[in-house]
Amino acid sequence: MWTDTRPPAELPKLFERGADVISLAGGLPDLGVLPLDEISAQLGRLVRLGGRLALQYTTPHVAKSLVPAVADLMGREGGRADADNLIPTSGSQMGLTAVALALGTPGDTILTQTPAYPGATAAFRTAGLLPHAAPEDAEGLDPAGLRRVVTELRAAGRTVRLLYTNPTFQNPTGATLAVPRRAEVLAACRELDLLLVEDNPYGLLGFDGTTTTLFQALDPERVVYLGTFSKIFAPGLRSGWIAAPAHLRYDLARVAEIISLSPSALAQGALAAYHSRSGWDTLIDRYRDSYRERCTLMADALDAELGTDSPWHWQRPDGGFYLWLRHRDRADAGPYARAAADRGVSVVPGGHFSIDGEHAHGLRLCFSNVPRKKITEAVGRLSAALTELPSERRELAEVAG
Amino acid sequence: MNQSQFDQLVERTCSVRVTDSETPLVDLGVDSLHTVALLMAIEEEFGFEVDPDALADPALASPAGLLRYVHANTASPAGI
Ligand SMILES: Cc1ncc(COP(=O)(O)O)c(C=O)c1O
């Protein structure tokens, strides 16, 4: 099949849960913070008063009533949204697919910040694009490296027009690219005529409420912005948006319409109603509180269990869903993830976030959805697996095999 | 609630300017999903169940018409 890719563009099986397995794998939000009574009353009203509209097909626009809710969210990070630059999606996953199909041509190279969200590289590959790791230094995306790599790739005959980044509380590292760096990266993009794809599901989930100016705020004509309600409201509504430069709006809207025909008016109506009644502040604060608490519990437990001379290194994130461990000697994390699974805790090994295996020594731990009282137990099980010597594992494997 | 307060509710819920309370909602630029949002807001604000077909009557489909509808449904029985 045309969509078969090498390596296979599969998503890790993140959302499966076994009996006694504690999952630190899937990036699920903590929906315990949602005011379900209020949402249920509003959904009831929406269907009773407007069901024939909300359950009907609709045009590929962000509903006018939802535009203020999107503008409110983007404004918190300096971004701009209005009815004319928005295209509705069923979440950023669709946004990634739409961008790849509308703005790329099969065979094009897409520079991709790594380690990368596997759904992004899978979407790019499925659209026939070739992800290529974007150059980074200790500060993150490296503008000088970009100039060099793009020049080399083009000299080798490759077409490079897109740069993908998840710049704030990045999945899986939790890292945030500083604003001065963003400006330098954009300057390089202008010189090299690259479009920047900014994927930002976590930007408002800084534990202390700190936000970082969007790439889209710095150069709205160079940036295709992917927004989503999945992480600040709920992923089950499958609702998000693309904020596009004027000259790309039509192409993106056309492809979005081909992919999904119509956005969900029901989801858009529910989100608009929630925002106009309650605003976003309370809900976002509750999400932040939940994740701050869980992250602290997990990082403290890791400090206590692994100590300072462990070969596994990590940094405490300031927001988002994830903690990223890296093996000092670049040992493959796959066997450790399997050992952890044997001990009843699931994590995602770094190979999934790699383009070509380059982050195989990483492990992603997701704290956003694990019950508070299971965090210490989960980290205990994980640490036992991580401190097991790989040679012991091999012997075990030999005995078993 | 008087008309100007009600017009503000319309403006807030529907992101439009109400220049004249008798102007039909459509002509103020209120689209259909916005109209539903407005009916939802009215239910929450005034605590009665709005008839989904209320706006089928063109006489009600303006801010002034809607406020008359609200008053008709929330008026306390005389003398109490
Ligand atoms: C970086 C990143 N982009 C996109 C998505 C897709 O999210 P959704 O399609 O729910 O908006 C995710 C989900 O975890 C993600 O982490």
Side-chain angles (χ1 to χ4, degrees), chain A residues 42 45 48 64-65 277, chain B residues 29 31-32 34 40 43-44:
Chain A
Q42 285 176 351
R45 278 203 178 98
R48 185 166 44 75
K64 259 206 231 161
S65 55
R277 184 176 187 272
Chain B
D31 70 9
S32 38
H34 253 143
M40 291 171 72
E43 278 200 353
E44 291 212 35

Side-chain angles (χ1 to χ4, degrees), chain A residues 27 90-94 96 117 120 164 166 171 199-202 227-231 235 238-240 322 364:
Chain A
S90 61
S92 293
Q93 188 61 41
M94 173 179 156
L96 289 162
Y117 165 58
Y164 166 76
N166 168 206
N171 179 2
D199 184 14
N200 186 35
Y202 307 101
T228 178
F229 293 103
S230 290
K231 306 292 157 70
R238 303 312 298 137
S239 212
Y322 311 105
R364 189 189 76 175

